[in-house]
């Protein structure tokens, strides 16, 4: 198939393009900033510059390519300052998830694109009641925290628009596996504490496994929604010390809720104490997906081995390399 990867220069796009080529597809990869053109070309895709928030440009570009399939991986999260107000941090990403989704679906319909897959998110989506791990059939949170209301609404909008058009929505867990993952710096600087009892459950996914699931989804008929997460949803109190250790950082601090609220706002406290994780059973069953990194327990250690070495005092790294 001729596959158009929207956001080919991003964290997931850069892992997805080589896997699609490996699977025998012809890939065109979109980007926004000029600097990304060479990266997309080096990955083996034909690069195309498109501003997704310019409806006419989207139409012209996609109609000119005439892809058989499209996958939308565009977000605007590079160097985002995660403030106490999550909606402020996600403002541009929310526009991409609503306006750009509409523009992409409209041209896809017009030119008869056969498959449409879009990025969504699994963590903080599900109802904060009942068991710790949720399936795609479980209800979404009916009362999202106020400062993340627009972000949650944009994800819902995207999911409804894509499935209504017959497409596939992938609710990814937290990405990891790149040297510039967003959690690395805060964890290394001990700015990411365990809040209260650390009961909030997170689902993770290694970028290589996320890309593999996406290739399979592109070869599958929709409409459908899949959680693309690993086998091991876990509370913050479990995964955060393991991540800190993998990065060679000091163990995380412990904050009471009231203190965390001052720094991270209500959304941060909710994620750390009440969020639910997601089950990947449906994606495994229906897509035939097999994970290379079934748990972050091994995945963090492998992904961040060099990060930890860079962060270690000389005596420790000397000792280890001599071992
Ligand atoms: N599920 C998750 O945990 C999750 C999901 C998404 C992102 N993240 C994290 O967020 C961080 C940043 O993500 P990222 O590396 O994917 O970068 P990003 O800045 O979110 O960009 C992603 C892609 O979207 C493109 N893009 C952004 N705005 C656009 C626009 N207006 N028009 C057209 N294309 C546009 C980018 O192009 P350019 O490269 O040319 O700017 C890039 O190809 C990473 O650490 C990543 O792991 C996590």
């Amino acid at each position: 198939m001729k596959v158009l990867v929207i956001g080919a220069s991003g964290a997931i796009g850069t892992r997805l393009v080589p896997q699609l080529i490996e699977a025998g597809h012809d890939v065109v990869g979109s980007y926004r900033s000029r600097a990304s053109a060479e990266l997309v070309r080096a990955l083996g895709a034909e690069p195309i510059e498109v501003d997704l928030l310019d409806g006419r440009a989207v139409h012209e570009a996609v109609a000119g390519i005439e892809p058989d399939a499209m996958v939308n991986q565009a977000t605007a999260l590079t160097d985002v300052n995660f403030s106490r107000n999550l909606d402020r941090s996600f403002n541009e990403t929310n526009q991409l998830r609503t306006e750009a989704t509409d523009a992409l679906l409209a041209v896809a319909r017009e030119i008869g694109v056969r498959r449409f897959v879009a990025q969504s998110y699994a963590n903080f989506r599900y109802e904060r009641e009942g068991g710790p791990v949720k399936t795609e059939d479980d209800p979404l949170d009916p009362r999202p925290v106020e400062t993340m209301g627009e972000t949650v609404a944009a994800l819902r909008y995207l999911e409804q628009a894509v499935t209504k058009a017959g497409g596939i929505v992938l609710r990814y867990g937290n990405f990891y596996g790149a040297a510039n993952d967003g959690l690395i710096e805060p964890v290394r600087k001990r700015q990411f504490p365990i809040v209260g009892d650390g009961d909030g459950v997170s689902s993770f996914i290694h970028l290589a496994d996320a890309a593999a699931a996406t290739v399979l989804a592109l070869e599958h008929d929709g409409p459908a929604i899949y959680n693309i997460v690993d086998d091991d949803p876990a509370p913050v109190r479990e995964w955060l010390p393991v991540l800190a250790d993998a990065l060679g950082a000091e163990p995380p601090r412990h904050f009471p809720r009231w203190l965390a609220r001052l720094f991270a706002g209500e959304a941060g406290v909710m994620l750390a104490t009440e969020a639910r994780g997601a089950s990947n059973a449906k994606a495994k069953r229906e897509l035939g997906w097999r994970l290379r990194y079934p748990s972050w327990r091994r995945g963090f250690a492998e992904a961040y081995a060099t990060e930890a070495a860079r962060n270690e005092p000389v005596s420790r790294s000397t000792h280890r390399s001599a071992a």
Side-chain angles (χ1 to χ4, degrees), residues 7 9-11 32-33 36 50-52 74-78 119 173-175 182:
S9 49
R32 173 184 52 173
S33 40
S36 300
V50 191
D51 179 355
L52 292 167
T75 49
L77 296 173
T78 297
Q119 174 182 152
N174 287 339
F175 290 155

Side-chain angles (χ1 to χ4, degrees), residues 6-16 30-31 36 39-40 43 73 75 78 207:
I6 307 285
S9 49
I12 176 77
T14 50
R15 273 71 182 182
L16 177 60
S30 92
Y31 61 93
S36 300
L39 170 61
V40 175
L43 293 169
Q73 300 288 9
T75 49
T78 297
L207 283 160

Side-chain angles (χ1 to χ4, degrees), residues 40-203:
V40 175
R41 194 185 309 279
L43 293 169
E46 180 191 328
I48 180 156
E49 183 182 328
V50 191
D51 179 355
L52 292 167
L53 298 177
D54 176 344
R56 197 175 328 165
V58 170
H59 186 277
E60 257 175 46
V62 178
I65 295 162
E66 292 191 324
D68 302 302
M70 289 165 67
V71 50
N72 183 9
Q73 300 288 9
T75 49
L77 296 173
T78 297
D79 298 330
V80 156
N81 184 14
F82 283 96
S83 67
R84 288 158 39 89
N85 185 325
L86 210 74
D87 284 341
R88 207 171 298 146
S89 312
F90 274 77
N91 183 40
E92 196 179 341
T93 294
N94 292 341
Q95 278 181 274
L96 289 169
R97 286 176 171 157
T98 52
E99 290 169 38
T101 296
D102 280 344
L104 290 165
L105 283 172
V107 62
R109 197 175 305 120
E110 188 183 310
I111 64 173
V113 171
R114 283 194 288 127
R115 298 263 164 77
F116 194 101
V117 173
Q119 174 182 152
S120 184
Y121 189 56
N123 288 315
F124 74 60
R125 301 294 309 292
Y126 291 102
E127 192 169 35
R128 289 171 274 150
E129 284 180 14
V133 180
K134 304 293 188 183
T135 73
E136 295 83 348
D137 291 333
D138 284 315
L140 296 174
D141 190 347
R143 281 177 296 282
V145 172
E146 205 179 320
T147 50
M148 58 197 290
E150 290 170 16
T151 305
V152 169
L155 285 163
R156 270 192 197 236
Y157 183 90
L158 174 148
E159 294 190 350
Q160 281 167 3
V162 169
T163 50
K164 197 170 157 213
I168 291 186
V169 166
L170 302 180
R171 289 180 183 160
Y172 297 113
N174 287 339
F175 290 155
Y176 74 94
N180 59 354
D181 286 334
L183 276 175
I184 292 178
E185 275 315 296
V187 172
R188 185 178 276 164
K189 292 179 179 161
R190 299 186 82 206
Q191 290 168 345
F192 197 120
I194 293 173
V195 179
D197 291 335
D199 283 337
V201 176
S202 315
S203 280

Side-chain angles (χ1 to χ4, degrees), residues 199-215:
D199 283 337
V201 176
S202 315
S203 280
F204 284 89
I205 189 69
H206 192 290
L207 283 160
D209 284 329
T214 310
V215 174

